[in-house]
Amino acid sequence: PRSTSATAISNKLNELLQDPKVFISPEILKLYTSIQCQLKKADYIPTIFALYANKPSPRSSGGTIKYSPSSPKSPQNAIPPTIANDALEVAMEQRNLSLALAIIDTAFCTPAFYRSKIIRQASLPFLGVVATPPAAWAIASYLSTLQNTMDVSTARGIAFSAILAYVTFTASVGLVAAATSNDHMRRVVWIPGTALRTRWLREEERQALDRVAQTWGFSDPLMRGEEVGEEWESLREFIGMRGMILDKTDHMEGME
């Protein structure tokens, strides 16, 4: 039967990747997750996600195999968001809440993922911050030569201060607006007072929990907040422990 073959293939993959002598490369992780998602066998994916960051690397030395400890917090050991989302989609299709939460934990809640996100998304803005003062000074120096009402050095200083103040104010307003926007939030929002840095760093975790809440809850917006049951209460408690709120009253339909 097809289900028996799928189970056999899935089990063999799990055994292979859990073998101490097998190194889990990014390509292998991507291929493993893709196959398991197609087979709808995602039960061991959180285990493999954890192994990806923590599994010692095998190295052949003098005919013997030696194992080098891994660096779980290294950005290279972060689970790519696309892979994690594919696995989460399967868990939600199977209505397996514990599996979905385990995937979120092992993919989006690790130091490696946070560091990887900082490198991927914060490097360019950081370079912009570093480059702003020299660029402002160059522009101010040019502008100071276009006037004859004051000393060049004084004009340069005024222009430099004005440009820097404008850029800093505009960037700060934009940063606060981007970090505090909640139009994309459906059922899971941050607890008031959550730091902007935390909001940005853990946004993938919140988005994933929001997707889970929408999957387990009623699809009709007018029925939201009426869900009951052990799984739903467990999800609400889990979200609360993560510094978020499930179905905040003033975000619900008709309660704005």
Side-chain angles (χ1 to χ4, degrees):
R2 183 176 180 181
S3 60
T4 304
S5 300
T7 301
I9 295 173
S10 175
N11 291 339
K12 185 60 66 176
L13 286 173
N14 294 328
E15 293 175 7
L16 181 64
L17 266 66
Q18 291 181 81
D19 190 314
K21 297 185 293 296
V22 175
F23 172 71
I24 306 177
S25 66
E27 293 77 14
I28 290 177
L29 178 70
K30 181 179 180 180
L31 185 60
Y32 166 84
T33 307
S34 175
I35 294 174
Q36 295 288 39
C37 288
Q38 292 180 46
L39 296 174
K40 306 301 180 183
K41 301 288 185 180
D43 291 349
Y44 273 85
I45 286 181
T47 301
I48 301 304
F49 281 179
L51 278 178
Y52 181 69
N54 295 279
K55 189 177 184 181
S57 303
R59 292 184 180 180
S60 178
S61 177
T64 60
I65 298 178
K66 295 184 178 180
Y67 298 92
S68 303
S70 64
S71 301
K73 297 181 180 181
S74 172
Q76 296 179 344
N77 290 328
I79 304 297
T82 53
I83 292 178
N85 285 323
D86 288 343
L88 181 61
E89 193 66 35
V90 173
M92 292 191 297
E93 287 179 10
Q94 297 177 340
R95 305 289 292 186
N96 191 331
L97 181 60
S98 59
L99 176 60
L101 298 181
I103 290 172
I104 293 173
D105 260 343
T106 53
F108 299 128
C109 305
T110 64
F113 182 82
Y114 298 148
R115 294 183 180 185
S116 175
K117 181 175 183 178
I118 291 173
I119 292 175
R120 287 184 289 107
Q121 299 186 17
S123 297
L124 189 59
F126 177 75
L127 291 177
V129 171
V130 173
T132 296
W137 182 261
I139 295 173
S141 298
Y142 172 73
L143 293 177
S144 66
T145 62
L146 302 180
Q147 55 80 42
N148 55 11
T149 58
M150 65 181 72
D151 183 67
V152 173
S153 60
T154 303
R156 184 192 301 120
I158 294 175
F160 174 74
S161 301
I163 294 172
L164 209 58
Y166 174 79
V167 172
T168 301
F169 175 78
T170 304
S172 299
V173 172
L175 177 62
V176 172
T180 58
S181 63
N182 57 16
D183 293 341
H184 60 293
M185 301 180 185
R186 296 294 178 262
R187 306 202 64 170
V188 179
V189 299
W190 295 107
I191 287 178
T194 303
L196 297 183
R197 177 181 179 275
T198 301
R199 290 172 182 247
W200 175 78
L201 204 57
R202 297 176 55 199
E203 177 57 22
E204 285 77 8
E205 176 188 356
R206 189 211 60 77
Q207 286 182 349
L209 289 172
D210 205 339
R211 290 172 57 195
V212 170
Q214 293 179 67
T215 300
W216 260 260
F218 293 131
S219 57
D220 184 357
L222 296 177
M223 293 291 293
R224 291 177 180 176
E226 302 294 332
E227 294 90 349
V228 295
E230 184 177 345
E231 276 196 336
W232 186 255
E233 292 305 319
S234 297
L235 178 60
R236 184 186 301 277
E237 183 179 356
F238 184 90
I239 290 173
M241 292 173 61
R242 297 304 178 94
M244 307 171 202
I245 301 175
L246 174 60
D247 289 338
K248 189 177 181 182
T249 303
D250 54 1
H251 280 253
M252 296 175 68
E253 194 76 17
M255 302 292 288
E256 295 88 348

